[in-house]
Amino acid sequence: MSTAVVSVAYHSGYGHTAVLAEAVRAGAADSGAEVHLVKVDEITEEEWTLLDRSDAVVFGSPTYMGTASAAFHAFAEATSARWPDQVWKDKLAAGFTNSGSKSGDKLHTLQFFQILAAQLGMHWVSLGLLPGWNNSAGSEHDLNRLGVFLGAAAQTNVDEGPDAVHKADLATAEHLGRRVGETARIFLAGRARAA
């Protein structure tokens, strides 16, 4: 059976989202996947080809003014070149984001990723975790401490650097990467059996 290829296509304005992208990468690698990080604001033709051959693409962006960054939106618009021929159809997709506020309208960014994936014919992989930190026995160190289901969400104070990304949010992003890698392995096995 071939190894699943997972690419993390992300933009990071101040470094916080890059730290999360690395956590997603680590989780996917733990699952046995071949994993690549692609900075969408510096994407090359070779990286577009890499995304085209990936089994899963995980989208990542900070949430700015209630949506993904302008650099990520430019990348999303550029994916329209893949749309007419359905180049990314039946690939897996997932997403992660960070903002300064606890809510920060991160859900809107994740929904934007999910709609982009749907337009490209991809299958969305959710976080697959119950919410943490929502009862008296919970703590801010729980996985999914922000209680988001669609993807991995993180909160970092706006006056702190990338080293301040919350450890629970990093662990949640790593969980997402592992889940995507494991799901991609299952999809590949199913395709191999069907062939």
Side-chain angles (χ1 to χ4, degrees), residues 63-161:
T63 294
Y64 293 155
M65 302 305 289
T67 190
S69 66
F72 192 92
H73 274 268
F75 162 76
E77 186 174 325
T79 66
S80 66
R82 271 98 184 118
W83 179 75
D85 296 324
Q86 296 287 278
V87 175
W88 291 8
K89 184 177 181 182
D90 293 330
K91 293 182 185 300
L92 299 177
F96 62 96
T97 189
N98 179 80
S99 71
S101 299
K102 294 291 188 286
S103 170
D105 293 320
K106 289 185 272 285
L107 179 60
H108 184 262
T109 299
L110 293 171
Q111 289 171 326
F112 169 71
F113 294 159
Q114 189 180 41
I115 291 169
L116 173 64
Q119 289 175 332
L120 293 165
M122 303 170 82
H123 301 282
W124 189 259
V125 178
S126 67
L127 186 58
L129 286 175
L130 292 172
W133 201 22
N134 69 348
N135 60 60
S136 59
S139 99
E140 67 174 296
H141 304 291
D142 293 343
L143 283 178
N144 196 18
R145 72 185 181 109
L146 299 177
V148 176
F149 296 92
L150 203 53
Q155 180 274 329
T156 310
N157 293 332
V158 296
D159 59 347
E160 295 184 291

Side-chain angles (χ1 to χ4, degrees), residues 16-87:
H16 305 90
T17 309
V19 172
L20 290 166
E22 176 55 37
V24 172
R25 186 211 61 76
D30 282 350
S31 76
E34 172 190 329
V35 192
H36 304 274
L37 295 176
V38 176
K39 295 180 180 179
V40 299
D41 55 330
E42 300 173 3
I43 194 166
T44 65
E45 282 305 315
E46 292 78 18
E47 288 171 321
W48 277 112
T49 300
L50 170 64
L51 293 176
D52 291 345
R53 75 173 183 86
S54 295
D55 300 297
V57 180
V58 184
F59 301 130
S61 170
T63 294
Y64 293 155
M65 302 305 289
T67 190
S69 66
F72 192 92
H73 274 268
F75 162 76
E77 186 174 325
T79 66
S80 66
R82 271 98 184 118
W83 179 75
D85 296 324
Q86 296 287 278
V87 175

